[in-house]
Amino acid sequence: IVERLHRELQEDLVAFAAQKFSAAPGGTRALDTDAGMALLSTMQHRPEPFLRAVMHLLASPGLTLHQAAEYVVKAEAEQDDYEGTWRSLTDIQRELLTASLVPGFKPFARATAQAIAANLGLEQLPLSTLQSAMRVLDDSNLLSKSPRGSYEFDDHLFKRWVETRVVQKARKKR
């Protein structure tokens, strides 16, 4: 029941934003509700950054919804100093954050330890080291275990920043 109510609230929010978007002065464009729902999901179902992206889209008609969302993420990143946060982390903590982007992430699995060790040029990585690194990420409110049992970023915009960084890094390797 709770999930159904959450879904309905999200649909209502996107419908509300779409209605206000089309009613805006000079509004000749429509807000695609499917794209709006996808963006809201990307922003971890948080209404504030979603609505900021819609407002930015209204103010800059030449942008797409995706571009407006990227602007919001970039503005938040500059305000929150994500680069400084990233630099303050150990290599293992960065690798854990990057690995957590993959669905089904299991921080204490042997495969995770082996992948991180390989990325860092280590022969092995003790479970205790992973546990320590995960504890720091949790204590720092960066990555926490959700009630559903999966690990999630506490700050969805930081997650988006990490995703963008990972994509840029992969492009540079090509």
Side-chain angles (χ1 to χ4, degrees):
I1 292 176
V2 172
E3 286 187 30
R4 183 176 50 84
L5 287 174
H6 280 198
R7 177 77 179 171
E8 288 174 9
L9 284 172
Q10 292 165 17
E11 289 170 350
D12 288 348
L13 175 65
V14 172
F16 171 79
Q19 187 260 339
K20 292 296 182 185
F21 190 85
S22 63
T28 57
R29 299 185 316 167
L31 180 65
D32 180 338
T33 54
D34 290 336
M37 288 297 291
L39 179 61
L40 189 57
S41 177
T42 298
M43 294 185 158
Q44 294 182 332
H45 312 287
R46 295 189 176 152
E48 297 87 357
F50 168 75
L51 291 173
R52 280 197 301 272
V54 171
M55 295 298 290
H56 191 69
L57 186 61
L58 275 171
S60 306
L63 297 180
T64 65
L65 184 57
H66 177 75
Q67 290 168 327
E70 289 300 317
Y71 174 83
V72 169
V73 169
K74 183 178 179 189
E76 289 288 327
E78 289 171 0
Q79 178 180 347
D80 291 335
D81 189 26
Y82 293 145
E83 185 67 40
T85 299
W86 185 258
R87 282 193 310 263
S88 73
L89 299 172
T90 67
D91 290 340
I92 293 171
Q93 291 164 347
R94 289 186 203 132
E95 288 290 329
L96 282 165
L97 286 174
T98 302
S100 75
L101 297 172
V102 177
F105 167 68
K106 293 181 176 29
F108 308 118
R110 177 170 282 141
T112 301
Q114 290 170 340
I116 291 174
N119 288 347
L120 297 176
L122 304 171
E123 284 188 37
Q124 61 180 353
L125 191 58
L127 179 60
S128 61
T129 302
L130 288 176
Q131 290 170 329
S132 249
M134 284 299 293
R135 192 173 313 110
V136 170
L137 293 174
D138 186 30
D139 291 347
S140 302
N141 296 318
L142 294 175
L143 190 68
S144 302
K145 192 170 188 176
S146 77
R148 294 182 302 276
S150 60
Y151 286 85
E152 297 177 356
F153 280 76
D154 292 339
D155 180 343
H156 69 286
L157 293 174
F158 183 57
K159 175 184 180 187
R160 195 81 174 106
W161 184 88
V162 172
E163 287 171 333
T164 302
R165 182 179 182 83
V166 168
V167 168
Q168 288 172 349
K169 187 177 175 183
R171 285 184 184 151
K172 286 180 182 177
K173 285 184 176 180
R174 288 184 207 160

